């Protein structure tokens, strides 16, 4: 079975940093694009960043220059390094596996990031 | 940026009734559209991709239609487990965008 197990997150001060991890199993991780999507409290879904199987990255303007997506195919793990955190980054962050259609067919359980002083 | 607009924001439906949710793209996206279902405290679940193809394990009562800028998700006969929030998502080009969601609630 495909599983995406997230870790990291928690409370950070404005301007601080956090790193999220997403450990994948049950599929050939290196062959798929992986994505981070976030959801602010009580709000809708927002795409954050995607890293393709060929290591091309795409990021939302709201996080460019602050967040870095990366992957370690030897560890089947996706990362999101979040620097320069702002209060508006407070959200549940989900990792998601790319589908052949570029939709997301499997999602992690989500991890809450709270940015507050 | 391609803006996705969903309507209505809330849909009140009785169990067993049909529900039709709409999603409009601000520019043409061909059929590069997915629908997701999200229940409180859970991650989203892929229902439909390529506008009309059901994802693995999704019941036949869910169907998607549309092309270009106008899309629909239809639930033919609502079951208790279908009351949730539904999001459309375009993956035609960057930045990828989601609609604001439609909440399907019990009437």
């Amino acid at each position: 079975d495909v599983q995406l197990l997230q870790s990291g997150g928690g409370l950070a001060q404005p301007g601080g940093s956090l790193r999220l991890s997403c450990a994948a199993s049950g599929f050939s991780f290196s062959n798929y694009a992986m994505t981070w999507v976030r959801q602010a409290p009580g709000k809708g879904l927002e795409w954050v960043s995607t890293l393709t199987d060929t290591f091309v990255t795409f990021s939302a303007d709201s996080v460019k220059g602050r967040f870095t997506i990366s992957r370690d195919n030897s560890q089947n793990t996706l990362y999101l390094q979040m620097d320069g955190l702002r209060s508006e980054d407070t959200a549940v962050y989900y990792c998601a596996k790319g589908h052949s259609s570029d939709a997301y067919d499997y999602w992690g359980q989500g991890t809450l990031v709270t940015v507050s002083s | 940026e391609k803006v996705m607009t969903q309507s209505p924001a809330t849909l009140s439906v009785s169990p067993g009734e049909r529900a039709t949710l709409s999603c409009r793209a601000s520019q043409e996206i061909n059929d590069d559209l997915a629908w997701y279902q999200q229940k409180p405290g859970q991650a989203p679940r892929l229902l439909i991709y390529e506008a009309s193809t059901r994802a693995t394990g999704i019941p036949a009562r869910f169907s998607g239609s549309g092309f270009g800028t106008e899309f629909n998700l239809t639930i033919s006969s609502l079951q208790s487990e279908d009351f949730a929030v539904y999001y459309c998502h375009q993956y035609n080009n960057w930045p990828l965008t989601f609609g604001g969601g439609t909440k399907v609630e019990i009437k």
Side-chain angles (χ1 to χ4, degrees):
Chain A
D1 288 0
V2 172
Q3 289 193 11
L4 299 174
L5 186 60
Q6 296 183 225
S7 59
L11 178 64
Q13 292 193 336
S17 299
L18 284 173
R19 188 174 86 155
L20 306 183
S21 300
C22 172
S25 60
F27 65 101
S28 183
F29 179 75
S30 62
N31 290 345
Y32 291 89
M34 296 295 294
T35 290
W36 291 98
V37 174
R38 68 185 180 183
Q39 186 169 35
K43 303 296 184 183
L45 302 172
E46 180 188 14
W47 169 74
V48 174
S49 191
T50 294
L51 178 55
T52 73
D53 58 333
T54 56
F55 291 89
V56 178
T57 64
F58 301 89
S59 294
D61 285 347
S62 58
V63 306
K64 271 181 189 172
R66 301 188 300 122
F67 290 10
T68 303
I69 189 172
S70 62
R71 64 195 297 163
D72 183 343
N73 287 344
S74 69
Q75 298 292 320
N76 290 343
T77 301
L78 177 73
Y79 301 100
L80 185 67
Q81 177 67 41
M82 303 184 292
D83 300 318
L85 283 162
R86 305 167 179 167
S87 58
E88 56 263 37
D89 296 320
T90 294
V92 173
Y93 285 72
Y94 295 100
C95 63
K97 170 186 168 290
H99 181 262
S100 58
S101 70
D102 291 336
Y104 312 132
D105 55 354
Y106 290 94
W107 296 65
Q109 82 276 19
T111 188
L112 178 62
V113 170
T114 303
V115 184
S116 174
S117 56
Chain B
E1 174 175 322
K2 298 187 177 181
V3 178
M4 307 302 292
T5 302
Q6 290 187 241
S7 61
T10 304
L11 188 60
S12 298
V13 186
S14 299
E17 288 188 341
R18 180 186 188 94
T20 300
L21 290 64
S22 296
C23 176
R24 173 177 293 177
S26 62
Q27 301 172 58
E28 296 269 348
I29 60 168
N30 298 321
D31 63 352
D32 297 330
L33 184 105
W35 289 94
Y36 300 89
Q37 176 193 67
Q38 188 179 34
K39 297 179 180 179
Q42 296 185 16
R45 173 194 182 196
L46 177 64
L47 299 176
I48 301 286
Y49 61 94
E50 292 175 354
S52 61
T53 303
R54 274 191 304 278
T56 303
I58 301 303
R61 64 181 181 272
F62 291 92
S63 63
S65 63
F67 189 91
T69 61
E70 301 284 342
F71 301 88
N72 287 329
L73 174 70
T74 300
I75 312 170
S76 60
S77 176
L78 270 154
Q79 306 298 303
S80 58
E81 62 267 30
D82 301 334
F83 292 96
V85 179
Y86 293 83
Y87 294 96
C88 63
H89 163 226
Q90 71 82 16
Y91 45 86
N92 180 256
N93 75 345
W94 311 95
L96 308 183
T97 48
F98 290 87
T102 291
K103 180 179 181 181
V104 177
E105 64 176 25
I106 301 175
K107 186 174 182 181

